[in-house]
Amino acid sequence: MDPLRTLWETFFDRDSMRQALPEMLTVGLPNTLILAISAALLGSVLGMLLAVAGISRTRWLRWPARVYTDVFRGLPAAATILLIGVGLAPLGMEVWGPNPYPLGILALSLIAAAYIGEIFRSGIQSVEAAQMEGARALGFSWGEAMRLVIIPQGVRRILPAWVNQLIALIKDSSLVYFLGLVASQRELFRIGQDHAATTGNESALLLAGLFYLALTIPLTHAVNAIDRRLRQGRATAAPGDEEDDAGLALAGETVLPTTGRKDPR
């Protein structure tokens, strides 16, 4: 048989794709988005805590944050999902029953937190030291300066990297199938795999891949647009306009709030 024809029938069979399409739209796509978005939100919260702990002057906060980051960045995602999903399964059964989703989201969140924490840390440390000095001169405490001045600027600068991590989570959500999913809990990859096993044709897996591309390619272009916008904004800020609020906003900087504060001098 012609190899090209075999390849076409194996991966581009329209009937197989048509059979898998409704289930991917109604079950696989929503479940994939639930896993990825939930893990991204929880991972961002944990990542911010790791970032603040990682730059702390207190070694009892800094060292555990670094150890956590090294461990979860070094372990394969599949291994982490299995360790969390299987190791905490008895506890999960008591808390929320046989549903593997919470443990899957927890595992993805712990993985994402290690990467997002480093992203946040680099963004925070990229803010000029003069910003902190200016905030302290206006009477802000260290915590207030971090919360109101430094962190908002750092987060704005790392938005492209954060979206890249969301893209990685969308793809890593396919690994949750290791925990065992019932029919209504399957994500895109698992549905494609089940259809391929049932029909002996790989076209459903290719369709699942097309869904992943439809999710990740627009996000990739959004990352590029955000990064380009931020770069152009900083480039068009005129030198010497630091006191101009509009110039600071265009440059991606945060104006130090002075309401209710008096210069200690």
Side-chain angles (χ1 to χ4, degrees), residues 137-177:
L138 289 172
F140 287 85
S141 66
W142 185 88
E144 290 173 331
M146 287 292 293
R147 186 176 73 255
L148 299 176
V149 179
I150 305 301
I151 290 178
Q153 292 185 62
V155 169
R156 189 182 305 145
R157 295 179 180 187
I158 56 85
L159 277 177
W162 185 89
V163 177
N164 278 330
Q165 187 58 40
L166 176 60
I167 292 173
L169 281 173
I170 291 174
K171 295 183 290 184
D172 286 345
S173 66
S174 62
L175 299 175
V176 176
Y177 86 93

Side-chain angles (χ1 to χ4, degrees), residues 31-110:
N31 287 336
T32 296
L33 292 176
I34 289 172
L35 288 169
I37 294 175
S38 299
L41 294 176
L42 182 56
S44 296
V45 174
L46 296 175
M48 180 58 71
L49 296 176
L50 286 173
V52 174
I55 62 176
S56 172
R57 297 178 180 179
T58 305
R59 62 181 180 179
W60 303 114
L61 292 176
R62 188 173 64 252
W63 289 357
R66 291 181 177 178
V67 170
Y68 176 97
T69 300
D70 290 341
V71 169
F72 280 94
R73 290 180 69 184
L75 286 174
T80 302
I81 291 173
L82 284 174
L83 287 172
I84 299 297
V86 177
L88 299 181
L91 177 62
M93 288 287 292
E94 296 180 1
V95 177
W96 47 70
N99 186 2
Y101 257 47
L103 289 177
I105 291 173
L106 176 61
L108 290 174
S109 300
L110 294 177

